[in-house]
């Protein structure tokens, strides 16, 4: 179970405890490791994660973060996200994980059931990619609902309603496939990587599904992004793909 974090000291403890409880409830007999990919937090985020998870079960990974990203964060507020996810997947592969679930540590709404819904579809139902489906207010997610999802469905023939979400679950087989892709170092990777991972899954010989996770509320790492900037980043990544 991987956590991506950046100055999330106020939320990461609760997120880690909830995920730990979910693992104990649904996968008590499984070998579990937490992987923390932190983007250089300065507020005690790492220490808070260690306190909850424990040093023996927590694998902290390092990755390169471009200096220009730290000065101007992408719309999702996570610098170096592509590098973080690549390092997470490399770590999962090195551990021989059957399934990897990725969760943003800056959330207020994580439930123990999330971990069951992201993982059991891989372990039991043999899906390779599990995309979250969140309940949103009618006025939220306009870019995804009106542009990204219709294009994704038309181009790839798969109904994943939120294909660029920060959370997902994937099989060990798909992890290996991801690491063979050539999109990790391209210019738009830090804003487009979540969408590109979904595309890589549905374009390969992999089974994809959705998991209903209820609502998603996050602690904003930065001020609200300018709409035109967000539109440019999201649609730029989609058209580049």
């Amino acid at each position: 179970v991987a956590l991506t974090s950046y100055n999330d000291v106020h939320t990461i403890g609760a997120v880690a405890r909830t995920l730990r409880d979910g693992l104990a409830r649904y996968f008590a007999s499984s070998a579990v490791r937490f992987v923390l990919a932190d983007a250089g937090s300065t507020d005690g985020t790492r220490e808070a994660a260690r306190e909850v998870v424990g040093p023996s079960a927590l694998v902290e990974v390092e990755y390169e973060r471009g200096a220009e990203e730290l000065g101007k964060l992408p719309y999702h507020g996570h610098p170096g996200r592509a590098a973080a996810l690549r390092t997470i997947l490399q770590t999962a592969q090195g551990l021989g994980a059957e399934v990897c679930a990725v969760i943003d540590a800056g959330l207020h709404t994580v439930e123990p059931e999330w971990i069951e819904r992201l993982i059991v579809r891989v372990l039991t139902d043999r899906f390779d990619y599990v995309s979250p489906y969140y309940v949103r207010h009618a006025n939220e997610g306009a870019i995804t609902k009106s542009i990204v999802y219709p294009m994704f469905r038309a181009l790839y023939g798969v109904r994943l309603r939120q294909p660029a979400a920060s959370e997902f679950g994937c099989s060990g087989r798909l992890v290996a496939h991801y690491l063979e892709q050539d999109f990790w170092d391209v210019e738009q990777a830090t804003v487009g990587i979540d969408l590109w991972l979904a595309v890589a899954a549905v374009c390969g010989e992999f089974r994809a599904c959705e998991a209903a996770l209820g609502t998603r509320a996050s602690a904003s790492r930065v001020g609200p992004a300018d709409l035109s900037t967000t539109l440019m980043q999201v649609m730029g990544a989609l058209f580049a793909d």
Side-chain angles (χ1 to χ4, degrees), residues 165-183:
S166 298
E167 287 71 48
F168 65 93
C170 63
S171 67
R173 190 170 75 99
L174 184 53
V175 166
H177 179 70
Y178 281 154
L179 293 174
E180 294 171 354
Q181 303 307 302
D182 60 2
F183 48 51

